[in-house]
Amino acid sequence: AQSVTQLDSQVPVFEEAPVELRCNYSSSVSVYLFWYVQYPNQGLQLLLKYLSGSTLVKGINGFEAEFNKSQTSFHLRKPSVHISDTAEYFCAVSDPQGGGSYIPTFGRGTSLIVHP
Amino acid sequence: DTGVSQNPRHKITKRGQNVTFRCDPISEHNRLYWYRQTLGQGPEFLTYFQNEAQLEKSRLLSDRFSAERPKGSFSTLEIQRTEQGDSAMYLCASRRPGHPNTEAFFGQGTRLTVV
């Protein structure tokens, strides 16, 4: 079975500072990894995904993430955050061998709070 | 592409009543997923359709929960005899067929409050 651990429930940061949101996964097989963002009262929007290839993945809104197989991590980073980045961020994993379902399993989320 | 549409956006119901939510996926998306999200938690997978076939339903929370996708287009999620613990956001997502390098698009969700 797969699972995702997001180590920080809340990350406060000042505007224009860098940020890293941590994600660790457990899986006995190869994985696909995703980061989603959720703004208040909205659905989830995909920020970026890792399926294979380069371990550094760039996404929308200036975010990037690095897949580290040895540490089973997929941390999300942004060099300079904006007030508008305040939102809930979810890391998710799915099984490439999942019979075609590719059902993402989500972590509990990290609330990014950007202060002026 | 009008996105995944969920109705209603909000539902308040009395304990013991039945409720039904609707999800209209993006046209030509044959895969449809239902999730539940409680406060402070990530989305929790409930069930999954490929076209009209419900391929995974073991994670529906109890036999009070059921889902259908009769013509392989829109889907409904029904909760019978609602309980206060059913209060949550119910999310629907859809994907087009084929390679996993296709994004799952989420709707805005239906927020259920059981009083």
Side-chain angles (χ1 to χ4, degrees), chain A residues 37-40 82-89 111-115:
Chain A
V37 61
Q38 186 177 34
Y39 299 101
H82 303 285
I83 295 284
S84 60
D85 292 322
T86 295
E88 197 78 18
Y89 290 80
S111 179
L112 176 63
I113 302 169
V114 181
H115 297 286

Side-chain angles (χ1 to χ4, degrees), chain B residues 5 7 20-25 32-34 47 49 67-70 72-77 92:
Chain B
S5 176
N7 288 288
T20 300
F21 311 138
R22 176 176 170 129
C23 172
D24 287 89
L32 186 148
Y33 309 84
W34 283 100
T47 189
F49 290 87
E68 293 183 339
R69 195 182 182 195
S73 57
F74 73 90
S75 175
T76 57
L77 177 70
C92 175

Side-chain angles (χ1 to χ4, degrees), chain A residues 52-75:
Chain A
S52 65
S54 173
T55 56
L56 183 62
V57 180
K58 294 191 182 296
I60 62 171
N61 301 342
F63 284 94
E64 63 181 31
E66 185 155 19
F67 171 58
N68 188 319
K69 187 174 182 179
S70 62
Q71 297 188 2
T72 60
S73 68
F74 190 56
H75 300 332

Side-chain angles (χ1 to χ4, degrees), chain B residues 56-72:
Chain B
E56 173 60 66
K57 58 182 179 180
S58 65
R59 291 192 243 175
L60 284 168
L61 300 163
S62 77
D63 58 7
R64 298 185 296 106
F65 287 71
S66 63
E68 293 183 339
R69 195 182 182 195
K71 297 182 179 178

